[in-house]
Amino acid sequence: MVAVNSSAAVEKCTQSADSSRLPVLPRDPEQETNRKREVGSDGNAARSTAGSTAVPLDSKEYKLDRGRALIINNINFVPKTKLRKRHGAEKDHTDLRDALERRQFTIHGCFQDLTAEETKATLKHFVESVCSDDDAAIIAIMSHGGSGGKIWATDQAIEISTVLTQLKKTDHLRGKPKISFFQACRGNTPMETHIANDDSTAAASASEMPVVSGSQESSGYYIPVEADMIMGFASVDGYSAKRHTEKGCWYIRHLVEVLNDDQPDQRLVDMLTEVNDRVAKEGNWEGRNQHFQMPSFTSQLRKKLYLPPRRA
């Protein structure tokens, strides 16, 4: 992660770390009340007996009235990692949490500075908490990252595939959208730019047989286990991402802005495309020492996906 402050100075993500460690963020009273309603006395998710309405086989749109979300924001890292503190990232998890709550998502937890083992345990508890009434799940992780599909816990890197596998294995999410956001560098290469040929801006960066090994929707047909997923990334593989030391990460800031826009007819893929555009242009406003970033997303969705309308 490259950090940009108000004077456009750049921090390299490989420099030495701040060894301070902040605790896991506590849930606020309202979140804790909601959690107690959803979790049984043994700590396991209270499963709904009603179940969610089955989506017709030929439906072109996912049913999404409510969902569940998990946010992890790693800011401080142990000295052995030689990773710097992610200055300015403190506001990202609260902004994203608030935006998702306004979009009818229950926040399972908003955690800060988790080790690799704590991350795995938190992911496991989250997927176990998903119940049949949940129409979708979101996992957002913000940290340092690197090439090869890795993102950092406070003590070591973990594979992003580990996170995605947890979502794929969730029984109550079969045939439902599974959304993930990763705010992290995916390499150290700066993004090159060119003048866009675009009137809207003067300069911008640029087989029919069922397969038994797939998962099965409630209606009884088989789908691939990789289906119904969409992953958003702060940068293109191999490239760095930017973080303002006061305003937070570019990607998260614009993602929150788009989530807060009241555009009920906008699909999630359209929202992420808008985020791509906003972040791609951000470098034009950062002064002479320009920095650029290009987010990306991968969609394995089978249907149109609209988020629930935003609450006022």
Side-chain angles (χ1 to χ4, degrees), residues 1 58 77 95 169 201 221 294:
M1 169 67 67
D58 59 350
F77 302 83
D95 289 349
K169 291 165 60 177
T201 179
Y221 64 94
M294 187 64 242

Side-chain angles (χ1 to χ4, degrees), residues 23 71 80 120 123 131 171 246 262 299:
I71 302 172
K80 70 175 183 178
K120 293 174 184 177
L123 290 170
C131 65
D171 290 343
E246 296 175 357
D262 193 11
S299 176

Side-chain angles (χ1 to χ4, degrees), residues 4 26-27 44-45 51 56-57 76 81 86 141 167 169 171 199 259 265 308:
V4 182
R27 296 183 179 90
N44 293 321
L57 179 65
N76 304 283
T81 65
R86 298 176 59 243
I141 302 181
L167 282 173
K169 291 165 60 177
D171 290 343
D199 292 339
L259 287 171
D265 295 330

Side-chain angles (χ1 to χ4, degrees), residues 21 24-25 27 35 43 68-74 107-130 138-141 153 158 162-163 166-167 170:
R21 171 173 163 77
V24 171
L25 295 178
R27 296 183 179 90
R35 188 188 73 86
R68 189 175 300 268
L70 169 68
I71 302 172
I72 299 173
N73 191 11
N74 294 327
I107 306 301
H108 170 83
C110 187
F111 299 93
Q112 185 173 305
D113 294 344
L114 300 187
T115 65
E117 287 304 313
E118 289 170 339
T119 300
K120 293 174 184 177
T122 300
L123 290 170
K124 183 176 184 294
H125 187 269
F126 172 67
V127 298
E128 289 174 348
S129 77
V130 175
I138 293 178
I139 292 178
I141 302 181
I158 61 175
T162 300
V163 180
Q166 290 282 358
L167 282 173
T170 308

